[in-house]
Amino acid sequence: MPVQISGTISGKIYPMDAEALVSVVYGNDIINTIEESSTGYFKLMDVVQGNYSVVVSSGNLAYNDTTITNVNVTAAHNTDLGIITLSHK
């Protein structure tokens, strides 16, 4: 049986009209990117266990981008970031 070395990161972007892109970053390297759904929810799959930053880039110019640091991913587990609220510019 293979050993699982990856986990997931999930959460919800608010407000939903932010049209956000969510990226997992390690140092200067983007590891994984996903566009959040029309409901605001996202789930990044197959993230190798480790410590990352999660960058939320708004596709709507009315909102600021944000970065969450020290996101710890553990193999075979989901790291739930909860609701991430983007501020107005």
Side-chain angles (χ1 to χ4, degrees), residues 3-9 44-52 70-80:
V3 175
Q4 187 167 1
I5 60 169
S6 64
T8 60
I9 300 173
L44 293 145
M45 309 292 285
D46 297 324
V47 181
V48 176
Q49 67 183 9
N51 198 14
Y52 299 92
N70 297 316
V71 176
N72 189 34
V73 175
T74 306
H77 289 90
N78 178 55
T79 302
D80 185 356

Side-chain angles (χ1 to χ4, degrees), residues 4-80:
Q4 187 167 1
I5 60 169
S6 64
T8 60
I9 300 173
S10 66
K12 182 176 182 178
I13 307 299
Y14 184 82
M16 288 184 286
D17 68 343
E19 302 169 10
L21 212 74
V22 183
S23 302
V24 177
V25 178
Y26 182 79
N28 292 325
D29 296 327
I30 296 174
I31 306 300
N32 199 345
T33 301
I34 190 169
E35 187 173 354
E36 51 88 16
S37 70
S38 60
T39 62
Y41 287 100
F42 68 90
K43 190 167 193 175
L44 293 145
M45 309 292 285
D46 297 324
V47 181
V48 176
Q49 67 183 9
N51 198 14
Y52 299 92
S53 293
V54 174
V55 177
V56 181
S57 304
S58 177
N60 182 332
L61 296 178
Y63 300 102
N64 291 305
D65 299 341
T66 193
T67 301
I68 302 163
T69 57
N70 297 316
V71 176
N72 189 34
V73 175
T74 306
H77 289 90
N78 178 55
T79 302
D80 185 356

